[in-house]
Amino acid sequence: MQKRIIILLLLIIGICAVSTASAADDVDVLSVDDANIEETSAELNDIEENLLESSEGENLAVSQDSAISSMDTSDETLSVVYSSWYKIDLHDSYEISSTEKETITYYMEPCTYSSESFHFYLRVVDLNGNIVFNKELKGTETTAREYHPSFEKNTFAPGTYVLGAVNYDDNVVMDTAVLRVSGTALITASDYNSYYNSGAKMTVKMTDQATGNPITSSYVTVKFTNKKTKKTVTKTYLVNSNGQASFAPPVGAGTWTVEYSSPDTGISANAVQKTATVKKPAVKIKAFKVTEYKGFKIKLKAKVTSGGKKVKEGKVTFKINGKTYTASVKNGLATKKVKLKKVKTYKYTAKFKGTNYKASKKVKAKAVMKKRVKTKIVIKDQSVYTGHSKKVTIKILTKSGKKVKSGKIKITSLGKTTYGPVKNGKALAYVSGFNVMKHFKGFTKNGETYKKFKTVKAKIKYIPESHKYKASKKTVKITSKFKCPCGKTSTHYHYTHGYYYTYRYKINVV
């Protein structure tokens, strides 16, 4: 995991490279108070643009053989040197001591196209994404060889950093390396005493023994041990820019021995032991009055909170009608569906119990089972002439005549099915007659003959949305009455059509 974070920091070096040469007075720090090492890599992706600013470092001592010199500021010659014009090759990693003056080595092939042969920043970023060292280097040396800059002692606190060379003029990262700084750390922490899930945090701090400054680019390992249960939990946290890691205990209620240590092999630190007492808080439980209709399972319901927060663990035991049921608490609620046969008002109790909370008192509530309401469909048989249609109102009422305000109807006729909504006790449908030829019977010696009436059946079903209502059905007759295109409904003679009699219909739901 440390390798993943370092890779991301190598990218940060590149992000920082897009800044200009201006200095930053304030640099925001990535907060990792609650993060363990598994979460850190994701948080580093969110570093804001204020990390793009650079600040001047003053602790780089350049050895005599480096031949690095600053240009005369009075020189009016415009000097530009692009990253593609010269080469810097850092080692993959460097290891230095925080308490000694240390020299590193890199290879450079200077530029030959400009009055300046190189111009870059030597930049160091810590694991929190902060620039902790930034030195501008430029000169006219043209020899391709190794260069040997050195860092004064105590330039860096012990830890792991990323070193980068960023070209001045085009802000290109020319190379990066891992910089490991060894030293001795002091770990300080306090005993912890609070309630489970209270939000209260534990804090541990790492400081550089040599300078007393906070260590900002390392980790601390925290091991919890419960002597009673023999359970252990180990987490590793990245310290922040104050050298601290703050976190809620990743363990349940109980008394825990907590050991703080450094996982960094380059940092020498004595492990520190403290005690964390995580107490069981009280809970508040509330059972709700619930209602259902006969034939369906009723859902018992209880809400569990602690200190105003939803409890997300443990179980609630419900007792009703002489039986006991258990349900897990999820996001502050526990529910259980049970079957009750009689139409009546039942009383039930609910009680919470959990590993990390105190058991609750028993609370009471009512579970009401009601009788379902029968419904009826009110519509008369319908008739309509050929070529005509009309809108029909279908009433959906209770047996006592009250309006049913929701649900839908289903109409099936002639092999087709349509649906429509029920609103305030009504549903609308259109009834249409058959065309003339649907009534046609055949030819007689007197001419064409037509059937005067054609009748079909339509099945109507009410489908309730609520358990309160029962479904109901009704079959109605739809008659299509023949009507000659001329308007007459009785037998009469036409030179072109002969004698007419009747026809058929169809029905569509609105």
Side-chain angles (χ1 to χ4, degrees):
M1 186 56 60
Q2 179 173 321
K3 181 178 179 181
R4 288 175 58 195
I5 297 174
I6 290 173
I7 290 172
L8 285 168
L9 287 173
L10 294 177
L11 297 177
I12 293 169
I13 287 286
I15 295 172
C16 296
V18 301
S19 66
T20 62
S22 62
D25 295 326
D26 297 297
V27 179
D28 283 86
V29 176
L30 176 67
S31 173
V32 290
D33 287 354
D34 296 319
N36 63 28
I37 190 170
E38 286 80 6
E39 298 166 338
T40 305
S41 58
E43 292 183 355
L44 289 176
N45 284 325
D46 297 327
I47 294 175
E48 300 294 337
E49 289 185 359
N50 51 13
L51 288 179
L52 306 182
E53 303 294 336
S54 61
S55 58
E56 291 293 336
E58 300 296 338
N59 295 315
L60 181 68
V62 181
S63 60
Q64 293 296 322
D65 66 343
S66 69
I68 297 177
S69 60
S70 297
M71 293 185 63
D72 186 352
T73 56
S74 65
D75 188 352
E76 296 180 356
T77 302
L78 179 61
S79 299
V80 177
V81 54
Y82 293 103
S83 57
S84 60
W85 292 358
Y86 68 112
K87 176 182 179 181
I88 295 176
D89 187 9
L90 300 174
H91 293 183
D92 290 339
S93 64
Y94 297 97
E95 294 185 8
I96 65 174
S97 170
S98 64
T99 57
E100 301 289 338
K101 180 177 180 179
E102 296 278 11
T103 300
I104 65 170
T105 299
Y106 64 88
Y107 177 79
M108 182 168 64
E109 295 178 2
C111 169
T112 60
Y113 308 116
S114 172
S115 59
E116 285 184 345
S117 57
F118 58 87
H119 193 175
F120 67 94
Y121 289 109
L122 194 63
R123 181 171 293 162
V124 178
V125 178
D126 69 13
L127 293 179
N128 282 289
N130 299 312
I131 300 172
V132 296
F133 183 88
N134 197 62
K135 184 69 176 180
E136 182 181 351
L137 299 176
K138 58 183 177 179
T140 58
E141 168 69 47
T142 59
T143 304
R145 60 179 177 82
E146 288 187 342
Y147 289 75
H148 307 282
S150 60
F151 299 100
E152 295 293 341
K153 69 177 182 178
N154 298 323
T155 298
F156 307 106
T160 301
Y161 303 83
V162 174
L163 173 69
V166 183
N167 190 57
Y168 180 87
D169 287 307
D170 58 12
N171 301 312
V172 171
V173 179
M174 301 184 69
D175 202 5
T176 56
V178 176
L179 178 64
R180 294 186 175 89
V181 181
S182 63
T184 302
L186 293 176
I187 299 175
T188 54
S190 301
D191 289 338
Y192 176 88
N193 191 327
S194 190
Y195 288 98
Y196 176 76
N197 202 29
S198 66
K201 294 182 178 181
M202 309 174 67
T203 299
V204 57
K205 185 172 183 179
M206 295 181 68
T207 56
D208 182 359
Q209 181 174 279
T211 64
N213 294 328
I215 291 176
T216 66
S217 197
S218 190
Y219 311 89
V220 61
T221 295
V222 187
K223 182 180 180 181
F224 294 82
T225 303
N226 189 311
K227 294 181 179 179
K228 183 177 180 181
T229 63
K230 307 301 181 183
K231 183 179 180 179
T232 64
V233 176
T234 302
K235 295 285 185 179
T236 299
Y237 299 93
L238 174 67
V239 296
N240 63 19
S241 296
N242 296 317
Q244 296 178 332
S246 296
F247 49 90
V251 293
T255 301
W256 302 81
T257 299
V258 187
E259 181 180 273
Y260 300 92
S261 61
S262 172
D264 195 326
T265 57
I267 296 179
S268 175
N270 292 327
V272 173
Q273 280 197 352
K274 295 295 177 178
T275 300
T277 303
V278 182
K279 297 178 288 187
K280 291 184 177 183
V283 301
K284 183 178 180 180
I285 183 171
K286 178 183 178 181
F288 296 89
K289 179 182 178 180
V290 291
T291 302
E292 189 50 276
Y293 292 86
K294 186 178 180 180
F296 297 92
K297 288 185 175 181
I298 193 168
K299 184 189 288 186
L300 308 180
K301 182 179 178 181
K303 180 180 179 181
V304 186
T305 58
S306 178
K309 298 178 181 178
K310 296 177 181 178
V311 173
K312 300 179 180 180
E313 59 187 79
K315 295 182 182 296
V316 169
T317 299
F318 296 103
K319 290 186 177 181
I320 187 170
N321 199 30
K323 295 183 179 180
T324 300
Y325 305 89
T326 302
S328 297
V329 180
K330 297 179 181 178
N331 200 31
L333 292 176
T335 60
K336 186 67 177 181
K337 287 185 176 181
V338 300
K339 189 172 184 179
L340 300 173
K341 296 181 179 180
K342 294 183 179 180
V343 175
K344 60 179 269 188
T345 297
Y346 296 82
K347 291 181 179 180
Y348 76 94
T349 62
K351 184 176 181 180
F352 169 84
K353 187 175 182 180
T355 303
N356 297 308
Y357 294 90
K358 292 180 180 178
S360 75
K361 63 180 182 180
K362 186 184 295 183
V363 294
K364 298 178 181 180
K366 293 179 180 179
V368 182
M369 293 297 296
K370 293 184 175 182
K371 186 178 181 180
R372 299 186 74 192
V373 178
K374 293 181 178 180
T375 62
K376 60 182 178 181
I377 299 171
V378 180
I379 182 175
K380 296 180 180 179
D381 290 343
Q382 300 293 316
S383 64
V384 63
Y385 285 114
T386 57
H388 291 262
S389 65
K390 65 179 180 179
K391 185 164 64 175
V392 178
T393 299
I394 304 171
K395 293 182 180 180
I396 311 298
L397 306 174
T398 66
K399 285 293 184 180
S400 62
K402 293 182 179 180
K403 295 178 180 179
V404 175
K405 297 184 178 181
S406 64
K408 61 183 178 180
I409 58 168
K410 173 184 176 182
I411 299 177
T412 303
S413 180
L414 297 174
K416 294 183 179 180
T417 299
T418 54
Y419 294 86
V422 174
K423 296 180 180 179
N424 199 28
K426 296 179 181 179
L428 298 177
Y430 282 102
V431 176
S432 300
F434 287 120
N435 61 42
V436 170
M437 292 309 296
K438 288 284 186 178
H439 287 262
F440 179 73
K441 284 184 67 176
F443 293 93
T444 69
K445 64 181 180 179
N446 294 320
E448 299 171 350
T449 60
Y450 290 80
K451 190 173 183 180
K452 193 170 185 178
F453 299 100
K454 295 204 74 169
T455 300
V456 296
K457 293 180 179 180
K459 295 181 178 179
I460 305 175
K461 181 179 181 180
Y462 165 65
I463 304 172
E465 288 181 350
S466 168
H467 291 171
K468 176 180 179 179
Y469 298 105
K470 287 186 175 183
S472 54
K473 297 179 180 180
K474 185 176 180 66
T475 299
V476 295
K477 292 181 180 180
I478 310 296
T479 300
S480 178
K481 297 190 296 184
F482 177 76
K483 187 175 184 180
C484 181
C486 73
K488 294 181 180 180
T489 57
S490 60
T491 300
H492 61 286
Y493 179 77
H494 278 281
Y495 290 105
T496 56
H497 293 88
Y499 293 88
Y500 292 85
Y501 298 94
T502 59
Y503 86 58
R504 197 181 174 190
Y505 92 111
K506 59 183 177 179
I507 182 168
N508 293 313
V509 175
V510 178

